[in-house]
Amino acid sequence: MLEDKRIKIFIGHYGSGKTEVAVNFAMKLADEGKKVALADLDIVNPYFRSREKTVDMEEKGITVIGNSLGMKQGVDLPAVSGGIVGPIMDKDCEVILDVGGNEVGARSLTRFQRYLIDGEYDMFLVLNANRKETQTVEDALAHAREIEYASRKKITGIINNTHLLKETSVEDVLRGEELALQVSEVLQVPIKYTSVLEKVARQLPDNIHGEVFPIEMYMREVWM
């Protein structure tokens, strides 16, 4: 994580685990003693939004920014808060942007176009090869290009987050790596991370691509 840019944008199709990864990054950075702000810019998906874990994150000192109507009132309305501008401009703050899973959601980034300077942010494509919409190279690339066009931002890295929740196996992760490698080659960007539950992370081979990033399931209830 030391080589990442201070501003980290997370994109990914529905079910990719994008929000889970974004929240885990925020928690990890906070544990390292960093000043952290997370902005929930997902104005499309009403489920598993990062803002739902506001209490947990604020307990770690993370600033959580939701919609412009407040965290509770109008929480389902597509209103993007301008409160993220302050953290973006604060050079001492690590900024996590959790962006919607399609081109409509990605357009939320255009509001902050002037503040997101090329070379000063990372935009990570979170891939889950178990999702129907991104199981093939063609579909994954179509999704990536759709998001880039709508957001006017370029993907800088890929995160292999292939999972089946608690049933995730090493074989799932390696199958996801095959997809990520092909997408990486076409987009000419690296696989930066392989994110996976800690119990599976310990079983991965040494030659896995990208830094292994063990995650916790913050966004799913225990029974799920």
Side-chain angles (χ1 to χ4, degrees):
M1 297 177 67
L2 295 178
E3 296 180 358
D4 295 342
K5 299 295 190 297
R6 179 178 63 85
I7 301 170
K8 301 169 184 63
I9 304 168
F10 292 86
I11 64 170
H13 218 295
Y14 304 126
S16 66
K18 161 188 65 69
T19 293
E20 192 73 85
V21 172
V23 170
N24 270 270
F25 260 76
M27 294 291 202
K28 174 67 172 175
L29 288 166
D31 285 342
E32 292 177 352
K34 304 288 182 60
K35 181 180 181 181
V36 184
L38 180 146
D40 182 354
L41 301 184
D42 194 338
I43 62 174
V44 179
N45 184 16
Y47 306 106
F48 304 116
R49 293 168 299 194
S50 49
R51 71 184 75 169
E52 294 170 2
K53 294 301 175 182
T54 296
V55 173
D56 293 337
M57 287 190 279
E58 287 184 343
E59 286 179 351
K60 285 183 173 283
I62 300 168
T63 299
V64 182
I65 300 164
N67 65 30
S68 59
L69 304 179
M71 300 304 293
K72 296 179 180 178
Q73 179 183 2
V75 73
D76 291 325
L77 299 180
V80 176
S81 173
I84 192 59
V85 173
I88 288 177
M89 300 298 289
D90 182 354
K91 301 298 184 181
D92 293 324
C93 186
E94 297 281 337
V95 178
I96 305 289
L97 304 181
D98 180 11
V99 180
N102 63 13
E103 74 277 10
V104 175
R107 288 194 195 108
S108 65
L109 281 177
T110 61
R111 175 176 176 181
F112 309 104
Q113 188 76 11
R114 61 185 289 191
Y115 306 106
L116 299 174
I117 310 300
D118 289 348
E120 296 184 6
Y121 68 86
D122 272 312
M123 186 158 82
F124 296 126
L125 171 63
V126 180
L127 276 180
N128 180 0
N130 284 327
R131 294 300 298 173
K132 180 180 178 181
E133 297 85 355
T134 53
Q135 285 183 332
T136 69
V137 176
E138 293 75 19
D139 287 344
L141 287 171
H143 170 66
R145 287 165 174 156
E146 182 180 78
I147 296 296
E148 285 186 328
Y149 179 80
S151 67
R152 303 180 195 171
K153 295 297 166 193
K154 287 294 183 182
I155 292 166
T156 63
I158 295 171
I159 297 177
N160 174 21
N161 189 51
T162 299
H163 67 87
L164 285 171
L165 299 178
K166 293 180 181 178
E167 303 304 315
T168 304
S169 67
V170 171
E171 289 70 28
D172 288 317
V173 178
L174 296 180
R175 187 175 67 257
E177 181 172 87
E178 292 179 9
L179 173 67
L181 282 170
Q182 293 178 73
V183 174
S184 169
E185 183 177 358
V186 176
L187 294 181
Q188 291 295 290
V189 298
I191 298 176
K192 290 299 296 290
Y193 296 96
T194 292
S195 56
V196 65
L197 291 173
E198 179 123 22
K199 66 177 183 179
V200 182
R202 293 193 293 266
Q203 304 173 45
L204 294 177
D206 293 336
N207 62 347
I208 202 77
H209 285 77
E211 179 182 337
V212 176
F213 184 68
I215 63 173
E216 297 183 36
M217 291 176 63
Y218 293 108
M219 301 305 301
R220 300 274 178 166
E221 299 299 335
V222 174
W223 57 268
M224 300 178 77

